[in-house]
Amino acid sequence: MAGTMTTTDDGGGASPTGARRGRPTLRSVLIWTAVAAVGAVCWTVLALARGESVSALWILFAALASYAIAYRFYARFITTRVLRADDRRATPAERLDNGVDFDVTDRRVLFGHHFAAIAGAGPLVGPVLAAQMGYLPGTIWIVVGVIFAGAVQDLTVLFFSMRRNGKSLGQMVREEIGVIGGIAALIAVFAIMIIILAVLALIVVNALAESPWGVFSIALTIPIALFMGFYLRVLRPGRVLEATGIGVALLLLAIIGGGWIQDTGLGDALTLSKEWLVLALVIYGFVASVLPVWMLLTPRDYLSTFMKVGVIVLLAVGLVLARPVLQADAVTGFAREGTGPVFAGSLFPFVFITIACGALSGFHALISSGTTPKMVAKESQVRLIGYGGMLMESFVAISALIAAVVIDQGLYFAMNSPAGATGGTVESAATFVQGLGFSTSAQDLAAFSAAVQEPSLISRTGGAPTLAVGISQIFHDAFGGGLQAFWYHFAIMFEALFILTAVDAGTRVGRFMLQDTIGNVWKKFGDLSWRPGNIIASAVVVGLWGSVLYIGVTDPLGGVNQLFPLFGIANQLLAAIALTLVTVLLVKHGRVRYAWVTAVPLVWDLVVTMTASYQKVFSDNPAIGYFAQRQKYADARAAGELLAPAKDQAQMDQVVFNSTLNGILQAFFALLVLVVAVHAVVVVARAIRAGGLPTTEEPAVESRLVEPSGLFPTAEEKRAMADRDRLVGAGAGRSEAEKK
Amino acid sequence: MTTAVARAWQGVRWYLREFTGEARWDDYLAHCEQHGHTPMSRREFERRRADAAEANPVSRCC
């Protein structure tokens, strides 16, 4: 295959990946014309439909057709022409194979691992909140954003990290941009991680508060995971599928059981306030971080991954079967006026900040550097794993968006507006949403919560309950059987489960980062097997996210409303750091001609995040600017007045403190990113003048592996693999599977 | 028809075993056989894998 190609290596000649560049076959032209036509029709319907009933499937197929075209053409262009992935070069997995972290992994298996690592609650929650602006802005940004920004970031970071033996984002920034930039990036990564953990935990708290059914099911996941851990360690070591099968069955029982206990004494005992849940989560996070991974983390991870993939598949099937109709407007008034109750601010820049993960997620750069690049078998597979993995994530985001816009929109706003706005009861909430122009009555709202057997759905902010209502309606319509309450709690459980897994894993990663950093000055602390070090570092990390979580939970203005923008901006700022790095690398490698591929999304992301940061810090509208909000409440406090929704002087103080803190954090994050960006500009200028600069790329070593590049092997690749198997003798393991 | 179903099932099983790392034990046995080593017990093998995972936390994203 690749070895037979001659290359001119100027980027304009034959590609070194073994992809043939010639006339496309008639069949391929017909197929791709058809895909383009389907996409064009779907987008046209979405763009032109006003006032009539529009099926949600138009959104689904518009997205799928766009992904297919982007993957086939743009991702291939980036892999072969921009990055020049070269399958004749051995990957670090092949060169440094140690069976632990460096490990040649089948591309389809690695795709699964990578997807499981990047997909989390972000793409589920962000689109739900962004739905307050209508379905069209969200749909467009999720699809366009992933194609030109999110998937490009994941792909290029994965590639460059792979060429550097899987170095982490922070390490690469330090070596390629400079020490100060590297330190800024390291601090940014750590601080952003804390905010992300706190906001994720906040979503769980909001979903479980006053819900005995949810608390019961989620609490049971802990003994279930412990049992699985024991099973895998002692009873039947290594039988992961058995253990996971048992775990999933117990999990379903736990969901059903929640329905039985909710009206009993146990149910009353499990009706917990948000403050108690915060305490429980903080203790849990700390214990999980110091326990050995086999006990809790690894088995939980199996459970959450299988649940996650299961729900996503089920949701896609459910959407096609139920064919729900869009209830939201294409673009609501909040998009123009920026006065939405779910989050404040106008469409630009806040819709991009809110959707975050489903379109572009800086956090993925941490996974695409470090873990995944050490396992890639062939260079050209980065297209499937990096770009393809992110397209999947975007598809999840689109499904979540659909779930939020097919439910009654009065219910949507009653659920997602803070308690200060809805008043907390069905009557006051009905008055509130009728004021927004919806006809949803108090009886309707009561009926919705009765259908899912929750005490109340009013002001259940955070996105997770809304998504669960959407999913339960879709599954109820698709599969029947009167199981809406079961599906609601099933969805809550699935979200809470993998958010908790993310919190576990994130706390541990944060702990490692802290130990590693402090280990530079205090050697002993960096030793990961030193118990006191583990405990101190875990306590610091948990303490940090726990306090932000507590601040969010007790915020009189509504924690999600206040913290989600901070989370979104932080994530997008991390993406700016990652895109800056890859742009610098393209220029240093002498590929200025193609630097627009990452520079355009970088500039866009910087404009969005800097505008948002500027507004959050300097806006004189108290609904948007943190310091304006602070001023408003501080002035009122000085005059001895109470401002709603604060109910007493203490809550006034709280608002003043929280908005000051949020404003400072906001400004701090933006400054860190500017430090990295300014250093990058200097390096880029030098590199352009010199026509490229040396980088830390590892020298090429010839590869001896024969593996397909894409998901399905081409005829040529099949022949090459058959030759390989003949040479090796009996084709065992991986090659056996390839023949299927 | 039956062969198609059987092959699909084999494929799914192969994928799940690879994905969860269960197949690592088979790889190890094959490796030992090829090099003439006496393999350690499965319990010992899985314990070493779990200990290696301790130092290599897999990050989970938002």
Side-chain angles (χ1 to χ4, degrees):
Chain A
M1 42 182 281
T4 60
M5 309 285 302
T6 50
T7 57
T8 50
D9 222 42
D10 60 3
S15 89
T17 54
R20 255 175 317 164
R21 310 216 314 117
R23 267 171 187 286
T25 61
L26 180 65
R27 189 163 149 263
S28 138
V29 172
L30 288 178
I31 290 175
W32 289 102
T33 311
V35 173
V38 169
V41 169
C42 291
W43 281 114
T44 312
V45 170
L46 289 177
L48 299 183
R50 289 288 178 278
E52 58 254 63
S53 73
V54 183
S55 165
L57 292 187
W58 293 110
I59 294 186
L60 202 66
F61 287 104
L64 288 177
S66 309
Y67 298 155
I69 290 171
Y71 182 77
R72 168 65 181 76
F73 297 99
Y74 193 48
R76 184 179 145 118
F77 163 77
I78 298 175
T79 315
T80 57
R81 303 283 289 278
V82 180
L83 300 173
R84 285 193 226 153
D86 184 351
D87 281 340
R88 294 164 307 177
R89 257 174 113 118
T91 59
E94 181 182 355
R95 280 186 285 116
L96 308 170
D97 198 346
N98 60 9
V100 187
D101 49 349
F102 290 97
D103 194 12
V104 176
T105 307
D106 181 277
R107 65 202 184 285
R108 295 158 296 187
V109 174
L110 186 55
F111 175 85
H113 283 169
H114 183 75
F115 176 69
I118 62 170
L124 295 173
V125 169
V128 170
L129 302 183
Q132 84 161 338
M133 297 196 169
Y135 63 80
L136 206 51
T139 305
I140 293 175
W141 175 239
I142 290 170
V143 174
V144 174
V146 76
I147 290 173
F148 293 105
V152 174
Q153 175 209 265
D154 290 16
L155 167 64
T156 50
V157 171
L158 176 60
F159 178 81
F160 284 119
S161 173
M162 176 180 73
R163 281 277 174 98
R164 285 160 184 74
N165 290 348
K167 279 189 183 141
S168 70
L169 181 73
Q171 248 176 321
M172 287 194 285
V173 172
R174 191 171 62 229
E175 289 172 3
E176 306 286 357
I177 298 180
V179 177
I180 296 181
I183 293 173
L186 190 71
I187 299 173
V189 169
F190 185 74
I192 288 168
M193 191 128 97
I194 298 295
I195 296 290
I196 287 176
L197 289 175
V199 172
L200 288 179
L202 178 63
I203 293 166
V204 174
V205 168
N206 283 358
L208 295 184
E210 316 295 341
S211 167
W213 186 338
V215 171
F216 178 80
S217 319
I218 291 300
L220 277 185
T221 62
I222 298 171
I224 292 173
L226 288 173
F227 171 73
M228 285 172 65
F230 181 72
Y231 189 94
L232 288 170
R233 184 82 168 181
V234 180
L235 296 181
R236 285 174 59 74
R239 270 69 164 201
V240 182
L241 288 179
E242 273 172 36
T244 310
I246 298 172
V248 170
L250 290 173
L251 212 59
L252 293 178
L253 273 181
I255 303 175
I256 299 171
W260 297 333
I261 64 100
Q262 63 170 346
D263 297 320
T264 65
L266 182 60
D268 296 340
L270 290 177
T271 308
L272 299 178
S273 69
K274 290 182 177 176
E275 287 80 359
W276 279 110
L277 283 168
V278 171
L279 191 64
L281 269 182
V282 164
I283 293 173
Y284 167 77
F286 175 75
V287 173
S289 166
V290 287
L291 280 186
V293 284
W294 65 264
M295 268 194 190
L296 197 58
L297 193 100
T298 311
R300 259 193 108 91
D301 205 30
Y302 289 129
L303 275 185
S304 95
T305 305
F306 279 98
M307 282 286 282
K308 183 157 62 187
V309 174
V311 173
I312 291 166
V313 172
L314 218 53
L315 183 55
V317 174
L319 279 174
V320 174
L321 289 179
R323 291 189 313 257
V325 171
L326 302 175
Q327 303 291 331
D329 289 338
V331 184
T332 65
F334 301 129
R336 288 179 290 272
E337 294 140 26
T339 51
V342 182
F343 60 91
S346 50
L347 187 133
F348 180 86
F350 288 100
V351 90
F352 307 100
I353 296 301
T354 309
I355 287 178
C357 309
L360 167 65
S361 174
F363 228 66
H364 294 182
L366 304 182
I367 317 257
S368 300
S369 62
T371 318
T372 306
K374 294 176 183 159
M375 299 164 81
V376 182
K378 296 303 275 183
E379 287 205 338
S380 60
Q381 293 174 355
V382 291
R383 174 182 167 208
L384 170 68
I385 295 157
Y387 202 94
M390 183 60 196
L391 287 181
M392 267 287 263
E393 165 114 331
S394 171
F395 177 73
V396 175
I398 281 285
S399 309
L401 179 82
I402 293 177
V405 295
V406 298
I407 64 171
D408 181 274
Q409 291 301 291
L411 175 65
Y412 171 86
F413 282 99
M415 290 184 75
N416 287 291
S417 307
T422 60
T425 67
V426 281
E427 290 77 20
S428 56
T431 317
F432 169 71
V433 296
Q434 280 160 9
L436 298 177
F438 299 101
S439 56
T440 314
S441 66
Q443 288 84 346
D444 294 337
L445 291 176
F448 286 126
S449 51
V452 296
Q453 294 184 27
E454 276 289 283
S456 164
L457 287 177
I458 308 306
S459 292
R460 299 296 294 273
T461 55
T466 310
L467 181 64
V469 167
I471 288 181
S472 73
Q473 281 190 11
I474 292 166
F475 286 5
H476 177 73
D477 292 346
F479 309 121
L483 294 170
Q484 201 174 347
F486 171 81
W487 288 125
Y488 174 86
H489 290 93
F490 176 80
I492 289 284
M493 148 80 96
F494 129 87
E495 291 171 272
L497 186 63
F498 68 73
I499 289 182
L500 287 184
T501 312
V503 169
D504 283 4
T507 305
R508 199 172 274 266
V509 171
R511 180 193 115 194
F512 277 40
M513 278 170 68
L514 196 64
Q515 285 187 273
D516 189 47
T517 310
I518 296 180
N520 289 329
V521 280
W522 178 20
K523 264 256 158 332
K524 183 94 188 141
F525 199 75
D527 175 9
L528 292 176
S529 59
W530 189 52
R531 217 61 191 143
N534 293 349
I535 292 175
I536 297 170
S538 299
V540 171
V541 173
V542 173
L544 284 172
W545 67 251
S547 11
V548 180
L549 170 63
Y550 184 77
I551 289 172
V553 159
T554 53
D555 195 319
L557 297 176
V560 169
N561 186 311
Q562 293 285 297
L563 284 181
F564 203 85
L566 194 59
F567 159 82
I569 297 176
N571 191 357
Q572 299 299 290
L573 285 171
L574 196 53
I577 294 181
L579 286 168
T580 304
L581 171 75
V582 290
T583 308
V584 166
L585 280 172
L586 281 178
V587 176
K588 278 178 125 183
H589 280 289
R591 241 109 357 117
V592 190
R593 205 181 133 194
Y594 292 118
W596 58 267
V597 169
T598 54
V600 171
L602 169 62
V603 169
W604 167 255
D605 186 42
L606 280 175
V607 169
V608 166
T609 48
M610 288 305 153
T611 313
S613 304
Y614 185 86
Q615 291 190 7
K616 282 308 230 184
V617 175
F618 295 110
S619 167
D620 47 18
N621 175 358
I624 298 175
Y626 285 124
F627 290 112
Q629 190 177 62
R630 181 195 176 280
Q631 201 57 48
K632 179 176 153 193
Y633 280 80
D635 289 348
R637 186 180 57 177
E641 294 164 20
L642 280 183
L643 279 185
K647 294 193 189 69
D648 51 39
Q649 208 54 42
Q651 289 202 332
M652 293 293 289
D653 294 344
Q654 218 174 345
V655 172
V656 170
F657 174 81
N658 292 359
S659 34
T660 316
L661 179 72
N662 293 345
I664 291 173
L665 283 174
Q666 186 70 78
F668 176 65
F669 290 155
L671 276 179
L672 285 176
V673 174
L674 285 179
V675 168
V676 177
V678 167
H679 277 78
V681 169
V682 176
V683 177
V684 165
R686 263 196 305 154
I688 291 179
R689 230 178 298 134
L693 283 176
T695 75
T696 58
E697 184 173 275
E698 294 288 325
V701 172
E702 201 187 334
S703 170
R704 303 163 61 89
L705 276 181
V706 184
E707 287 287 329
S709 158
L711 189 57
F712 302 105
T714 61
E716 201 182 340
E717 286 169 340
K718 276 187 184 152
R719 271 198 302 281
M721 283 189 295
D723 288 348
R724 169 196 69 184
D725 291 346
R726 249 203 323 281
L727 284 175
V728 178
R734 181 178 6 254
S735 47
E736 193 59 43
E738 293 295 357
K739 287 180 198 150
K740 294 198 178 80
Chain B
M1 178 62 195
T2 37
T3 52
V5 172
R7 274 175 58 188
W9 167 244
Q10 284 296 316
V12 169
R13 191 165 169 273
W14 169 85
Y15 189 83
L16 291 176
R17 285 176 53 83
E18 288 284 334
F19 182 80
T20 56
E22 218 176 301
R24 288 306 188 77
W25 172 243
D26 309 342
D27 298 348
Y28 171 70
L29 287 185
H31 176 89
C32 287
E33 198 180 344
Q34 205 179 354
H35 293 81
H37 300 162
T38 323
M40 59 178 110
S41 71
R42 177 131 197 207
R43 191 172 300 266
E44 180 59 29
F45 176 79
E46 297 296 344
R47 218 155 261 217
R48 288 194 187 187
R49 270 185 27 132
D51 292 343
E54 196 73 45
N56 266 313
V58 182
S59 194
R60 283 288 179 261
C61 195
C62 36

